[in-house]
Amino acid sequence: ITQELMQEVVKSACGTLKIEYQSQKLDFSGSFQIKKYRDLIKDETGIDIAACDTFAKLDAAVKAKKISFVGQKIKVWSELVDELFKKEVRPKIVAPTFVTDYPISTAPLAKSYENDPNTAQKFQLIVAGGFELVNAYSELNDPINQEARFKEQAKMKAAGWDEAQVMDENYIEALKYGMPPTAGWGLGIDRLTMVLTNQHSIKEVIPFPTLRPKK
């Protein structure tokens, strides 16, 4: 559905499925690539995040590859793997690509697979050197599991990962009353507009550019 939507929008807006964004040639025709998060990191860095399942192991593997993150003091596995993906993998994704199967600790609101509790039922559509156009996942509706996830996230935030989730007691209480099987799907309209209109700055496409100079 996401692929068909993207193709309809690109074709309608640009008249073709082959466009150019900031000197990058993008082809939205045919079937988009589907790549697993773990496989992409392994292909680009040689690091298997499944084998490096603790911070110490992953940190050692990253240092062995001489990969560094300037100005950052990372102490949490989830933050380290997230930064590794953002630095070494995401900028190299140009063709429309569905990235699937994220580590569950980086997707605290998503369901995991029944046969793989460490992997989230989640995908993102990435294009043009790192633009995350779509973020989607099966939503976790088990209040006990969700509360445990929030507690783990709180530990990660206390350890210094700013992007970790905070405890949401109201959400947990709502889940206890019951939530049906649900899927979340979000599209970055502003980012898509940037790609379709070949704009380098998001300020050029948002409706209310509060940071744009008055002149």
Side-chain angles (χ1 to χ4, degrees):
I1 292 172
T2 300
Q3 176 178 297
E4 291 177 2
L5 174 63
M6 289 296 104
Q7 291 172 336
E8 291 263 353
V9 171
V10 173
K11 181 73 172 178
S12 177
C14 302
T16 176
L17 292 174
K18 296 181 180 181
I19 64 175
E20 187 170 307
Y21 175 72
Q22 303 296 302
S23 301
Q24 300 176 98
K25 296 187 182 303
L26 310 179
D27 187 355
F28 284 85
S29 63
S31 297
F32 297 172
Q33 296 183 60
I34 302 175
K35 302 283 187 178
K36 291 185 178 181
Y37 186 96
R38 172 189 175 186
D39 293 342
L40 283 169
I41 291 179
K42 191 172 182 179
D43 290 344
E44 291 295 339
T45 68
I47 298 172
D48 184 356
I49 61 173
C52 301
D53 56 356
T54 66
F55 176 78
K57 290 179 183 178
L58 185 56
D59 187 47
V62 168
K63 288 177 178 175
K65 296 293 182 178
K66 298 185 173 133
I67 300 171
S68 61
F69 306 97
V70 179
Q72 292 177 281
K73 294 182 179 179
I74 301 174
K75 299 179 180 178
V76 178
W77 184 92
S78 301
E79 181 180 12
L80 182 55
V81 76
D82 186 49
E83 292 299 326
L84 183 62
F85 179 78
K86 288 177 180 177
K87 179 178 180 180
E88 299 295 324
V89 178
R90 197 172 66 183
K92 298 173 184 175
I93 300 176
V94 176
T97 302
F98 288 115
V99 180
T100 69
D101 297 357
Y102 285 65
I104 198 68
S105 60
T106 67
L109 300 177
K111 277 186 176 178
S112 61
Y113 290 101
E114 290 185 9
N115 61 349
D116 185 1
N118 295 318
T119 303
Q121 297 180 28
K122 169 181 172 175
F123 75 81
Q124 289 186 325
L125 176 60
I126 299 178
V127 67
F131 275 92
E132 297 173 1
L133 293 185
V134 174
N135 184 31
Y137 53 85
S138 301
E139 300 210 22
L140 180 60
N141 57 355
D142 179 340
I144 297 174
N145 191 336
Q146 185 65 81
E147 185 172 24
R149 297 262 200 99
F150 278 147
K151 288 179 179 178
E152 286 300 314
Q153 290 285 309
K155 291 177 184 177
M156 288 187 271
K157 184 171 280 293
W161 189 25
D162 292 336
E163 294 185 22
Q165 292 277 344
V166 297
M167 175 62 74
D168 189 338
E169 298 287 355
N170 291 332
Y171 185 58
I172 297 298
E173 183 177 0
L175 286 182
K176 289 178 180 178
Y177 284 103
M179 184 174 87
T182 307
W185 185 96
L187 167 66
I189 298 289
D190 44 10
R191 294 179 182 178
L192 177 59
T193 306
M194 287 176 67
V195 172
L196 297 181
T197 59
N198 196 16
Q199 296 295 328
H200 174 70
S201 173
I202 198 169
K203 297 176 189 177
E204 299 300 324
V205 302
I206 56 177
F208 303 101
T210 55
L211 299 180
R212 179 181 288 173
K214 288 183 179 181
K215 64 181 180 181

